[in-house]
Amino acid sequence: MPKVVIFMGSISDEEKMRPCSDLLNDLGVEHVFTVSSAHRTPERTAKLVAEYEADGCQVFICAAGLAAHLAGAVAAKTTKPVLGVPLTASPLGGMDALLATVQMPPGFPVGTLALDQVGARNAAWLAAQILALHDEELAGRIKDAREGFKASVEKAAASL
């Protein structure tokens, strides 16, 4: 039973979003990583949201470039948290996707992360933190990871 579903608008987004799935794997968070388009397959998107929510999904992560309507389309179909990762896919350098993801109407929020791989990683961290509100073991894994970050900074500082 996946707790998180990662939707990408296109298979061409996989390289940018793979770090999200990899990090959820590292944290032991069961998830699904798939493609569904708000424009090309709106019925598929709505169907998958309903099915995964019924199966216990707690957080949806949506990544898209250009008009980036995927996160909003998912937010319209669920009351679960939706996290949006805008992707660079146009000559506008991702600004179009960023604005499309962040400008949601009241009552249909999308938590918007950074662009591309950084946003993908932070979406995984944020989804895990949301789940950790009711999962002490996951909270412990997140704390352990943060201790690792701290240790790597201390080690780097000591090497100077």
Side-chain angles (χ1 to χ4, degrees), residues 18-31:
R18 177 58 61 187
C20 183
S21 179
D22 291 346
L23 182 53
L24 290 172
N25 281 332
D26 291 348
L27 290 170
V29 175
E30 196 170 335
H31 66 283

Side-chain angles (χ1 to χ4, degrees), residues 62-81:
C62 301
L66 303 171
H69 288 129
L70 184 56
V74 171
K77 297 294 183 184
T78 185
T79 58
K80 302 295 184 189

Side-chain angles (χ1 to χ4, degrees), residues 96-128:
D96 47 350
L98 175 62
L99 293 175
T101 306
V102 79
Q103 293 290 342
M104 300 309 304
F108 298 89
V110 170
T112 306
L113 286 299
L115 295 167
D116 298 337
Q117 288 94 343
V118 171
R121 285 185 196 94
N122 276 339
W125 284 115
L126 186 53

